[in-house]
Structures are given as structure tokens and as C-alpha cells.
Amino acid sequence: MDTAAFIKGLPKAELHLHIEGSLEPELMFALAKRNGIALPYDSVDALRAAYEFSRLQDFLDIYYQGAQVLLTKDDFRDLALAYFERLTADGGVHAEIFFDPQTHTDRGVPFATVADGLLAGMAEAEARFGVTSSLILCFLRHLSEEAAFATLAQAEPYLDRIAGVGLDSSEVGHPPEKFARVFAAARAKGLKLMAHAGEEGPPAYVWEALELLAVDRIDHGNRALEDARLVERLAKDGLTLTVCPLSNLKLCVVDDLAGHPLKRMLDLGLKATINSDDPAYFGGYLGENWRQTAQALDLSREQLVTLARNSFTGSFLPPAEIERRLAQIDAYAAST
Ligand code: ADE
Ligand code: ZN
């Protein structure tokens, strides 16, 4: 069995996926038409041609613009369903998806429209494809602490259907510390916590995410490798890193995939996972991230199995479900 087939059959979870980042140009144009919105591009090809980024902010500017076509509950449902169809095709069986409510509520789209639409898509995906999922609310870090608190308040009626909160958007200049109080409030409500840290920001931001936010997972974490004491701490705590290789390549966090730190992370005993981040913008969904990374880093079957196991041990699934998936992975690895 070749590596691509081995990867496809390996049960996998995706732990770092921005649902707004799965908005394909074709769907963006279809929703713009449905909602009577003019896009500043004349065609899907012209839009795709604009996807050249040299840093995170280049991408964020275009990503927030693209999200403006999302207006109705059906738009959010269709978006989610399209993602789960891709995930299932790649052999993904579970996803914990980020959404950015402020990107929508700041345009007058109610929180409930966003959440109801996504939850409808998630329920339909489970019924149709058997894929499980949960929802993670991300605060936009370029906005204020006060705005994050207001968003948490809007989420109140949905907290039984939201697994946790995260922190995304422009990293440099917006350290985790800015959100320490809102994260403490989220933890008090029983939510899991995670933050993007060390994507472009320094190791100090990863330290802050650990010590001031008390996160359960780190999103990205690449730059943690610059600090040996931090690596030791992440390894000791068994903290999962949700790493996004094709995103890192597209946003120039790495020069090429062969130089990607994922293999070093595994060698250092870190619980790294492979994820797609914003697949419609970065050239590939979960399977493409796995295949390209496996090839560029010459990952062994054993390392691929470790990555698949990490995607479940780092998930927020119930312990019995995690054990069931780990047993499935081991049975698959033993039989191939
Ligand atoms: N929002 C969507 N994708 C992101 C990323 N890779 N980093 C920070 N914020 C994001
Ligand atoms: Zn991300």
C-alpha cells in the first residue's frame, strides 16, 4: 500500500480548521449571487490569483473580505457541509472547527444565525457522513477585550454546544495577556481553551498562552522551538500543538515543507498534529496536508500513526471515544 492510500485509510481528526477559511471561491461567488453582494473580482480565477501572501496579515485582509458573502443560516450550513464532505473524502472522522463570530456580528449578522447554521451543517454531516464535530468560538485578537467579553455573552445560550474558545487573527502586537480575563471567564463556564501562538509571534506569546491563559492546546506553536525551556515544558505537560504545514508554507512561516519543524517536534517528544487551517486559501485540505508533509519530511509509518493518535488524544472527545479511535488506528496499522 502506498503512503497516500495508508494516510487515507488512517482514522484522523482535524483540530485546527477555521470554517470561514474553507470558503472555496466557487461557493463565495454562488453566495455573493444568492445574496446580491458584489465581489471585487470578476471571476473565480481572478480571486484565486489574489491568493499570494507573504505574511499572515496579507491573508487575513482577503479572508475577512471573503467572509462578507456569508449572511444567512443556510449560507453557514452550506459552508460547513462543504467542508465535511472534503474531510470525509480524506478519511477524516472528527473535526473541532473554529468560527469567528465577530467577523459576522460586526456586519450585523446575528450570533444565532452563524451558530444555528454551523450546527445545522454539523448535524447533517454527522447524519450523512458519520463524521463527528464540535464548535470552538475564536475571539479576534486585533479587537478589544471588551468586544471579546461581549461575544462570550452572546454565546451564552449556545454554551452547551460550544466545546471551547480560541484566539486568532493578527498575532504580533496582540499578545495572549490581553485576553487573560476573558479566558478565565470562559474557563469558569467549563469551556476548553486554546490560542494561536508562535505562528508569527515569539516564544514569549506561547509562554503567555500557557501561564496567563492556561490553555489546553496551542494552535501552531512553531516558534516554541526557539526556546529549549519552553519545549521542555510543552513536552512535560503533554500539550497538543495543532500544526498547519501548508498554511505555514503559504504564509511564509517556513521557506519550504522540507524545512518544516513538524518532524523535529515529534523527535522532541511534542504532541504535534497535522491540520489544514484555512484550506480554501492555502492549497489543500486535511489529506493534502498529510500527503505533502509525509513526502517532504519522509515521515515513517510509525510517525504517521503517532500523528493520527495525537489528533485524538489532543481532541476534546469523551475519553471512551478517544480510546475507541486509538484502538481503530492500532488495528489499522497492524493490518496494513
Ligand atoms: N484566522 C484564520 N486563520 C488564521 C491563522 N492561520 N492565524 C491567525 N488567525 C487566523
Ligand atoms: Zn489558524
Side-chain angles (χ1 to χ4, degrees):
M1 183 186 278
D2 68 12
T3 303
F6 180 76
I7 288 171
K8 185 168 178 189
L10 198 51
K12 299 175 288 297
E14 173 142 73
L15 304 181
H16 186 156
L17 175 280
H18 301 263
I19 197 65
E20 294 91 346
S22 72
L23 177 57
E24 288 288 339
E26 288 79 4
L27 183 57
M28 196 189 293
F29 270 85
L31 296 182
K33 189 167 173 209
R34 186 156 102 186
N35 292 327
I37 292 171
L39 287 173
Y41 301 93
D42 343 316
S43 66
V44 161
D45 288 345
L47 174 58
R48 272 219 172 83
Y51 294 177
E52 286 294 335
F53 316 116
S54 52
R55 58 182 69 80
L56 173 60
Q57 194 61 49
D58 296 346
F59 155 70
L60 290 172
D61 292 343
I62 222 163
Y63 159 86
Y64 293 131
Q65 181 187 68
Q68 293 184 20
V69 302
L70 297 160
L71 285 186
T72 68
K73 179 180 164 188
D74 275 352
D75 298 343
F76 288 96
R77 170 204 163 268
D78 293 352
L79 176 69
L81 211 48
Y83 163 68
F84 286 112
E85 207 165 334
R86 301 270 200 157
L87 181 69
T88 305
D90 282 337
V93 296
H94 176 70
E96 303 188 350
I97 65 174
F98 295 141
F99 73 117
D100 288 343
Q102 289 158 293
T103 299
H104 314 298
T105 54
D106 284 1
R107 300 181 286 119
V109 178
F111 187 99
T113 300
V114 182
D116 288 341
L118 294 175
L119 289 164
M122 291 158 69
E124 202 167 325
E126 183 158 3
R128 269 162 68 172
F129 312 125
V131 61
T132 56
S133 59
S134 59
L135 210 46
I136 293 164
L137 182 169
C138 280
F139 301 116
L140 297 182
R141 69 201 303 159
H142 68 275
L143 300 178
S144 66
E145 179 198 41
E146 189 188 0
F149 268 114
T151 303
L152 187 59
Q154 288 169 351
E156 196 70 46
Y158 289 89
L159 290 187
D160 56 336
R161 284 153 290 168
I162 292 177
V165 299
L167 188 62
D168 66 0
S169 192
S170 319
E171 185 181 8
V172 174
H174 302 284
E177 192 235 336
K178 182 175 163 186
F179 297 94
R181 286 183 293 209
V182 75
F183 268 61
R187 180 169 297 281
K189 292 178 189 297
L191 293 163
K192 297 287 187 186
L193 308 178
M194 65 226 82
H196 283 54
E199 180 184 18
E200 284 188 345
Y205 284 22
V206 181
W207 278 114
E208 282 188 20
L210 293 177
E211 307 224 304
L212 303 181
L213 304 189
V215 292
D216 299 288
R217 286 200 303 238
I218 294 283
D219 297 315
H220 295 293
N222 300 47
R223 292 195 58 194
L225 299 196
E226 294 169 24
D227 179 338
R229 219 166 47 83
L230 179 54
V231 169
E232 209 175 291
R233 166 71 180 273
L234 291 167
K236 183 170 72 67
D237 290 358
L239 227 78
T240 298
L241 305 180
T242 65
V243 180
C244 306
L246 290 179
S247 163
N248 293 158
L249 186 63
K250 264 302 233 189
L251 299 184
C252 305
V253 168
V254 297
D255 296 332
D256 55 26
L257 273 188
H260 194 281
L262 183 86
K263 194 167 174 170
R264 245 181 318 136
M265 289 170 169
L266 294 177
D267 290 343
L268 288 164
L270 299 177
K271 294 218 172 302
T273 58
I274 294 181
N275 307 273
S276 70
D277 207 3
D278 300 282
Y281 293 89
F282 298 152
Y285 285 76
L286 188 64
E288 198 59 28
N289 272 272
W290 274 75
R291 288 188 293 275
Q292 289 199 32
T293 308
Q295 184 176 30
L297 298 178
D298 194 24
L299 298 177
S300 66
R301 291 243 171 141
E302 195 184 347
Q303 285 169 321
L304 295 173
V305 167
T306 297
L307 286 161
R309 292 178 62 89
N310 290 351
S311 77
F312 291 102
T313 56
S315 76
F316 302 135
L317 283 166
E321 181 61 9
I322 294 176
E323 286 308 316
R324 188 176 77 84
R325 290 300 188 186
L326 295 180
Q328 255 181 15
I329 291 169
D330 292 345
Y332 175 76
S335 72
T336 48

